[in-house]
Amino acid sequence: MASAVVAVECLPAQNPLITNQYSADPSARVFGDKVYIFTSHDILATQNRGRVGWFCMEDYHVFSSSDLTTWKDNGVIVTQNKVPWVKPDSYSMWAPDCINRNGKYYFYFPSTPKDTNINGKGFTVGVAIADKPEGPYTPQVEPIKGVRGIDPNVFIDKDGQAYLYWSQGNIYAAKLKESMLELASEPQVLTELPDKGLKEGPYMFERNGIYYLTYPHVANKIERLEYAVGKSPLGPFTVTGVIMDESPTGCWTNHHSIIEFKNQWYLFYHHNDLSPAFDKARSIRSDSLFFNKDGTIRKVIPTLRGIGVTQATSQIQMDRYSVISNDAAIDFLDTANRFKGWKVTFSKPAAWVQYNSVEFGKQSPKAINLRAKSSEGGTLEVRLDDANGPVVIQVQIPKNKEWELTQSSLKRKITGRHHLIARLKEGSDVALDWIQFE
Ligand code: FUB
């Protein structure tokens, strides 16, 4: 049965990319002129729902964007109790992937089967098919025969041969038949990878004749993103480096995908931004990825600013900063509802925060709006390009414990693309939610 597609809303975002729900295991794909991200969806387990303290995942969403800044939630595409082979209420719809072949979209997802005669006990992998990336997707009645494990990833080589990768402690691979629904070769373990520490979440891509097998690996205590390279989709592979170090705050999993969009490469991954105390409620992120001349990957340092250019007329969330000084700090707006987002607090004069790549276009805005508050009162100045760059405006933030919207006329013209800086000129304890030009 095809799942109903409910388009929900467009969310402008930096990192994390999705702030109306938890989202994990991003599989980003370029289809046409848009990026689609197929995600798993963490929810919180309760006594009657899943297993408390563990992953709890019942469905999948797909998000799309043409500018990498505004993400549309296209709604639920596959849900556990509408897949004939999935054990009802198993809440184990883990990391998925999707690929386009001959105008059809094949969505691969792992879960717990109700019939353990087909592939044995534990996770297996099934497919749902759609005519459009947004769905509706129709799940196959049975999972793919011969696959035991999680984290499916599909790759189609230049000669048209498709491959399925997945994990089960080790990383496995097999050829897929033209139908994309059956294995065309026996599963093989990719043996040249580290033999100590869990490996999962394989993601294969090719660039300039180099096949990159990328995967999260527990080299120490938690996962980091690593890669190996080879000359063919099935290897042999040579372990080559680390794409992203372990989370500095201890999120145990990371799960990623890598795409090229409009001549720039991007890493999509996840972190527990909206749930700092529980790392099984994760949120997807993205940062730019760069290659060295010899094809090796430069390590990606995670940022809050993320990717995409932000329009000056949108609410610019300065708390998703590119650079921050001492005496400026980030906190949740409301710790009882973290989905409301974050604020920057400036505790001393000269504290600042910088947000890169804001587009003003050809016509200068006439006014600036700030949502701010201060227990002591203070003056915020907005500068362009860097912390010592030209001052656009100085805005008085009155003493007020409640958020207040301040509008000021701009005295100078601003066009083109700039970095934006908010800096405390005088006062203390000034909190800033967002800045918007109009
Ligand atoms: O999201 C559940 C599991 O956590 C995924 O399948 C793994 O890759 C890890 O991210």
Side-chain angles (χ1 to χ4, degrees):
M1 189 197 308
S3 298
V5 177
V6 187
V8 191
E9 51 188 318
C10 285
L11 305 158
Q14 295 77 48
N15 279 336
L17 293 176
I18 305 302
T19 51
N20 70 342
Q21 61 195 271
Y22 299 121
S23 56
D25 305 325
S27 173
R29 295 287 179 192
V30 180
F31 294 140
D33 58 359
K34 285 188 191 162
V35 173
Y36 289 82
I37 317 178
F38 297 83
T39 61
S40 36
H41 180 197
D42 291 333
I43 54 176
L44 299 180
T46 61
Q47 288 308 329
N48 304 316
R49 181 169 93 168
R51 181 174 137 202
V52 174
W54 189 237
F55 299 107
C56 184
M57 301 148 91
E58 65 182 336
D59 56 27
Y60 298 101
H61 284 237
V62 61
F63 300 89
S64 54
S65 176
S66 46
D67 63 6
L68 304 180
T69 297
T70 308
W71 292 93
K72 179 177 179 184
D73 181 351
N74 295 285
V76 171
I77 52 168
V78 171
T79 186
Q80 61 177 6
N81 293 342
K82 290 190 179 159
V83 180
W85 62 266
V86 169
K87 186 175 168 197
D89 298 326
S90 50
Y91 295 97
S92 52
M93 306 295 266
W94 285 17
D97 193 10
C98 187
I99 206 152
N100 168 234
R101 175 153 218 160
N102 299 332
K104 296 269 183 213
Y105 295 84
Y106 295 86
F107 179 74
Y108 294 78
F109 57 98
S111 196
T112 311
K114 52 183 161 199
D115 181 355
T116 53
N117 291 320
I118 299 177
N119 285 332
K121 280 193 179 162
F123 278 82
T124 185
V125 170
V127 191
I129 306 173
D131 292 324
K132 289 185 295 174
E134 298 86 354
Y137 282 86
T138 305
Q140 295 294 290
V141 175
E142 290 192 350
I144 305 175
K145 287 199 178 59
V147 179
R148 290 185 67 179
I150 58 170
D151 297 353
N153 163 243
V154 197
F155 171 73
I156 302 178
D157 202 3
K158 286 175 282 192
D159 62 3
Q161 177 63 58
Y163 297 82
L164 181 68
Y165 301 82
W166 69 94
S167 59
Q168 168 88 324
N170 280 307
I171 292 179
Y172 292 77
K175 289 183 178 174
L176 277 170
K177 289 189 179 168
E178 180 74 23
S179 68
M180 302 297 277
L181 301 174
E182 285 178 79
L183 298 189
S185 66
E186 281 300 310
Q188 69 180 74
V189 178
L190 301 179
T191 49
E192 303 90 14
L193 306 181
D195 52 6
K196 287 210 184 81
L198 179 76
K199 300 174 289 294
E200 55 180 3
Y203 184 87
M204 164 63 67
F205 69 96
E206 183 268 345
R207 178 180 176 269
N208 296 339
I210 301 177
Y211 292 81
Y212 294 82
L213 175 64
T214 65
Y215 50 90
H217 171 223
V218 184
N220 300 301
K221 287 190 175 159
I222 61 174
E223 290 181 343
R224 67 182 190 185
L225 302 179
E226 298 180 8
Y227 73 106
V229 297
K231 291 190 181 130
S232 88
L234 295 178
F237 293 102
T238 306
V239 171
T240 303
V242 175
I243 304 172
M244 179 173 276
D245 284 329
E246 291 93 343
S247 148
T249 56
C251 183
W252 203 93
T253 64
N254 201 349
H255 187 110
H256 71 296
S257 52
I258 294 171
I259 58 163
E260 186 185 19
F261 182 62
K262 297 186 178 168
N263 299 319
Q264 173 63 54
W265 287 82
Y266 297 97
L267 172 74
F268 289 77
Y269 60 102
H270 70 216
H271 187 60
N272 56 333
D273 295 86
L274 290 165
S275 170
F278 179 56
D279 68 355
K280 287 161 191 70
R282 300 155 295 177
S283 295
I284 62 165
R285 288 175 162 216
S286 181
D287 277 297
S288 300
L289 178 140
F290 298 91
F291 293 87
N292 294 310
K293 278 198 180 132
D294 62 0
T296 52
I297 298 176
R298 287 195 214 155
K299 205 182 261 187
V300 178
I301 309 299
T303 73
L304 294 177
R305 173 63 186 84
I307 58 173
V309 172
T310 300
Q311 295 303 314
T313 48
S314 67
Q315 291 179 1
I316 305 162
Q317 305 291 338
M318 298 297 287
D319 48 76
R320 305 297 87 194
Y321 63 83
S322 306
V323 197
I324 194 165
S325 75
N326 288 337
D327 305 317
I330 308 300
D331 287 309
F332 286 107
L333 287 168
D334 179 355
T335 47
N337 181 0
R338 292 185 297 262
F339 291 98
K340 286 185 181 167
W342 295 264
K343 62 185 175 187
V344 195
T345 305
F346 304 89
S347 53
K348 283 191 189 153
W352 54 270
V353 69
Q354 175 174 325
Y355 183 104
N356 287 357
S357 299
V358 177
E359 182 60 53
F360 288 84
K362 290 194 178 129
Q363 222 176 351
S364 177
K366 294 192 169 61
I368 181 171
N369 301 323
L370 262 80
R371 187 170 189 260
K373 65 177 179 177
S374 175
S375 59
E376 302 296 326
T379 306
L380 268 183
E381 55 187 20
V382 176
R383 292 176 180 247
L384 293 184
D385 304 328
D386 64 51
N388 299 311
V391 177
V392 172
I393 196 139
Q394 294 183 348
V395 180
Q396 298 295 325
I397 311 298
K399 190 170 171 175
N400 188 347
K401 287 198 170 140
E402 301 304 320
W403 290 104
E404 211 173 302
L405 195 59
T406 315
Q407 184 169 81
S408 319
S409 299
L410 287 178
K411 303 268 177 307
R412 55 176 294 159
K413 288 202 182 324
I414 318 171
T415 54
R417 192 170 297 176
H418 296 275
H419 301 335
L420 200 66
I421 292 89
R423 183 175 182 273
L424 189 63
K425 183 168 167 52
E426 50 198 25
S428 63
D429 189 35
V430 173
L432 174 65
D433 187 4
W434 46 256
I435 294 176
Q436 182 177 36
F437 292 83
E438 68 172 66

